[in-house]
Amino acid sequence: MTTSRKRVLSGMQPSGLLHLGNLLGALDNWKALQEQYECYFFVADWHALSTNYADTSRIREFVRELLIDWLAAGIDPKRSTVFIQSHVPEHAILHLLFSMIIPISWLERNPTYKEKQEEIKERDLSTYGFLGYPVLQAADILLYKPDYVPVGKDQLPHLELTRELARRFNSLYKPVFPEPMEHLTRFPKVLGTDGRKMSKSYGNTINLSDPEPVVRQKLKTMVTDPARVRRHDPGNPDVCPVFDFHKIFSPPPVIDQVNRECRTAAIGCIDCKKLVADRIVERMAPIWEARRTLIDRPNQLDEIVQDGSRRAADVAHQTLEEVKEAMKI
């Protein structure tokens, strides 16, 4: 690890199994960033409590599965610091200190606060932890003083709140925190099998841990152009979620073929889905192989986490010392 490169930080909640949306929207981006930047990637297990506090039975399992998926997708612990949030207590301490200075109105205007409550109606999210999770998120970020934070467009309000909190702290005490910039993901939205955004909450995911038969079966049931009822009806690829997958996974000649033949009914939805299924399986095959190797070596995973958490704690401790000196506590 070098300190001359610019720094990147990002994390994920272990709230379920990772899927193609996570691979395309985050992990592929992270994999590319570690070639150029000093990267810190953390498992946000405390954040998982904000929506899963009533049932924590699978969080440890999801933490482990998430780490396996990261490494299988190409996150290299020799080039990136991979760690678990709860293994670095400075995250909680800085969250507490930030919670003393952030106005409640800043949290109440968070656009995803009410959106999530509507999306996850079966759970009681009227908790301090859920309202205040952007404060913990800001602590997660600012603790490592990153230059860039990889995010999708839907996360930009959260990052702006982090910058506002950094400015507030710096003006109240003394300059400690730089304001991190966004690094937008290439695929901010990947559709699921039902045509909505791929999400664990919707149950429409193709998981990285799904075996090949499951992946193919899920793709067989994926929604297509709703106006194309019969095989000989011409379709419109512009409104078909399967064609969106082609644009991501298929080579240009296949994309052109599907685009042309769908509109003239020269290809049916079953054949169209098989073409893209072959490409997705080809893309996922190395991940499946790497997952099997990691599952067979549990001690290796533990060593990676311990080493990464130790390296992260060194940086976090230094930042927290600067914070305490600035606040005179």
Side-chain angles (χ1 to χ4, degrees):
M1 302 294 294
T2 65
T3 56
S4 59
R5 296 179 296 170
K6 288 185 179 296
R7 184 175 291 175
V8 163
L9 176 126
S10 195
M12 284 187 195
Q13 285 191 40
S15 54
L17 300 174
L18 295 192
H19 49 71
L20 279 182
N22 301 125
L23 177 68
L24 298 168
L27 292 180
D28 280 351
N29 190 31
W30 291 8
K31 181 180 177 181
L33 289 171
Q34 67 184 358
E35 302 289 340
Q36 183 179 355
Y37 299 99
E38 179 190 8
C39 293
Y40 288 76
F41 300 129
F42 70 97
V43 182
D45 53 341
W46 281 335
H47 274 294
L49 298 174
S50 66
T51 54
N52 297 284
Y53 63 86
D55 181 8
T56 60
S57 59
R58 299 191 68 187
I59 289 181
R60 286 181 179 173
E61 172 195 346
F62 288 149
V63 166
R64 199 161 192 87
E65 286 291 322
L66 185 148
L67 287 165
I68 289 171
D69 282 336
W70 283 9
L71 299 175
I75 305 305
D76 185 353
K78 293 180 180 178
R79 291 182 292 176
S80 300
T81 298
V82 177
F83 65 102
I84 297 175
Q85 180 187 38
S86 64
H87 289 197
V88 185
E90 284 83 357
H91 286 249
I93 299 171
L94 188 57
H95 168 230
L96 170 65
L97 297 176
F98 280 165
S99 72
M100 300 299 180
I101 68 172
I102 188 168
I104 292 177
S105 60
W106 289 14
L107 299 175
E108 292 175 333
R109 76 184 187 211
N110 175 13
T112 61
Y113 176 59
K114 290 187 177 179
E115 288 174 12
K116 278 286 187 182
Q117 287 181 316
E118 287 295 315
E119 182 182 316
I120 314 177
K121 289 183 177 180
E122 70 277 9
R123 302 176 199 169
D124 179 11
L125 299 183
S126 56
T127 62
Y128 165 75
F130 185 70
L131 175 66
Y133 84 86
V135 187
L136 177 56
Q137 189 176 58
D140 295 332
I141 295 170
L142 295 175
L143 201 52
Y144 298 91
K145 300 183 180 181
D147 299 281
Y148 298 105
V149 179
V151 292
K153 290 183 179 179
D154 59 335
Q155 289 287 314
L156 287 177
H158 297 164
L159 187 58
E160 180 55 31
L161 189 146
T162 296
R163 288 194 285 258
E164 289 179 329
L165 193 48
R167 289 194 290 269
R168 183 170 175 83
F169 182 96
N170 292 344
S171 65
L172 282 172
Y173 307 109
K174 74 175 189 178
V176 171
F177 299 110
E179 296 180 30
M181 299 300 296
E182 70 276 5
H183 188 289
L184 292 176
T185 58
R186 182 182 174 194
F187 297 108
K189 182 178 180 181
V190 176
L191 298 182
T193 54
D194 61 358
R196 295 182 292 177
K197 179 179 178 180
M198 190 174 288
S199 169
K200 295 182 282 283
S201 303
Y202 295 147
N204 62 358
T205 62
I206 296 173
N207 299 324
L208 302 187
S209 54
D210 286 341
E212 181 177 342
V214 173
V215 171
R216 291 188 180 276
Q217 182 58 38
K218 286 182 176 181
L219 287 166
K220 282 182 181 178
T221 64
M222 191 168 184
V223 299
T224 56
D225 176 2
R228 191 176 189 190
V229 180
R230 293 172 293 274
R231 167 65 178 81
H232 60 269
D233 292 337
N236 180 6
D238 296 333
V239 298
C240 178
V242 176
F243 189 61
D244 278 358
F245 271 11
H246 273 293
K247 289 187 286 187
I248 294 171
F249 292 102
S250 296
V254 174
I255 297 173
D256 293 341
Q257 173 196 348
V258 170
N259 186 37
R260 181 179 63 255
E261 295 183 356
C262 177
R263 296 181 192 277
T264 60
I267 189 173
C269 293
I270 293 175
D271 291 332
C272 175
K273 289 177 178 179
K274 184 180 183 306
L275 283 174
V276 81
D278 290 343
R279 295 298 177 178
I280 291 175
V281 167
E282 182 181 345
R283 173 71 172 83
M284 294 179 71
I287 295 176
W288 292 330
E289 179 61 32
R291 277 183 53 84
R292 285 191 288 269
T293 300
L294 288 161
I295 290 170
D296 290 340
R297 299 174 181 174
N299 292 339
Q300 179 185 8
L301 193 64
D302 292 338
E303 290 171 4
I304 288 170
V305 169
Q306 290 170 8
D307 181 61
S309 297
R310 185 165 54 248
R311 298 207 309 256
D314 289 342
V315 177
H317 178 75
Q318 177 60 40
T319 300
L320 193 60
E321 289 300 305
E322 294 177 38
V323 168
K324 291 191 290 186
E325 192 279 328
M327 297 180 73
K328 301 296 187 287
I329 59 173

